[in-house]
């Protein structure tokens, strides 16, 4: 199989994943902060929504809410710089992360299975599976999206190395 054909097929599947994620999760872009802990974690958190330099220093040097999760809080801190208290921006980033997770999963499964069909099917099932709804719709659950992204990138890196 030619490289151009594989690249074209991968691009087509990537566009399909993007469309599927957008269609499935489009309603979340009209949502606000969930009352469970989004207000305290994002807009009410001085490390995220306070003074930018001091907040970032706090995120990386001290536990926030008795936990040390600097990558998660840094991602929320960056969102706060761009979106402030506009919740749809945070939801859009979660949706983008979910799409990226499906894309990385596509590459991992293709490398393991050697099948474009199996990889594409797995990625489409992943992007549409209802279990992902919580991570996409709940801003404070972004840590799950980030954990999946970094762990699947590590797996992909390992598979490329061996």
């Amino acid at each position: 199989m030619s490289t151009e054909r594989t690249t074209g097929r991968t691009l087509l599947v990537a566009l399909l994943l993007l469309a599927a994620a957008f269609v499935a999760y489009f309603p979340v872009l009209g949502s606000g902060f969930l009352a469970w802990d989004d207000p305290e974690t994002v807009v009410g958190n001085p490390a995220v929504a306070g003074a930018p330099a001091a907040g970032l220093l706090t995120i990386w040097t001290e536990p926030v809410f008795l936990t040390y999760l600097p990558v998660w809080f840094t991602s929320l801190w960056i969102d706060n710089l761009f979106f402030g208290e506009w919740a749809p921006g945070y939801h859009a980033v979660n949706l983008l992360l979910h799409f990226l997770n499906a894309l990385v999963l596509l590459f991992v499964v293709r490398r393991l299975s050697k099948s474009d069909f199996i990889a594409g099917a797995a990625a489409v099932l992943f992007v549409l599976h209802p279990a992902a709804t919580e991570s996409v719709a709940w801003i404070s659950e972004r840590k799950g999206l980030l954990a999946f992204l970094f762990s699947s990138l590590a797996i992909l890196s390992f598979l490329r190395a061996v």
Side-chain angles (χ1 to χ4, degrees):
M1 181 178 313
S2 73
T3 304
E4 289 138 6
R5 187 171 177 184
T6 303
T7 303
R9 198 177 294 164
T10 301
L11 182 60
L12 181 64
V13 172
L15 291 173
L16 175 67
L17 290 173
L18 181 61
F22 186 76
V23 168
Y25 292 104
F26 177 75
V28 80
L29 298 177
S31 300
F33 295 103
L34 292 181
W36 292 324
D37 62 357
D38 282 349
E40 294 82 18
T41 304
V42 183
V43 293
N45 182 346
V48 171
L56 192 58
L57 182 64
T58 299
I59 287 169
W60 284 91
T61 59
E62 301 173 22
V64 179
F65 298 133
L66 302 176
T67 60
Y68 184 70
L69 301 166
V71 174
W72 173 49
F73 280 119
T74 300
S75 77
L76 295 173
W77 179 85
I78 292 168
D79 280 3
N80 186 269
L81 291 176
F82 287 101
F83 308 121
E85 294 187 18
W86 188 61
Y90 295 82
H91 288 295
V93 171
N94 279 9
L95 181 55
L96 176 65
L97 286 169
H98 184 56
F99 163 69
L100 290 174
N101 284 339
L103 199 58
V104 174
L105 180 71
L106 172 76
F107 294 124
V108 168
V109 174
R110 185 169 58 193
R111 179 138 325 238
L112 290 171
S113 70
K114 309 285 191 237
S115 168
D116 289 337
F117 176 77
I118 292 172
V124 168
L125 285 173
F126 174 83
V127 85
L128 294 176
H129 199 282
T133 304
E134 180 179 317
S135 292
V136 178
W138 183 12
I139 295 165
S140 294
E141 187 47 34
R142 179 178 299 172
K143 56 188 161 271
L145 294 167
L146 291 169
F148 187 92
L149 180 63
F150 290 123
S151 60
S152 57
L153 283 171
I155 292 168
L156 184 61
S157 296
F158 172 79
L159 292 173
R160 287 188 173 186
V162 292

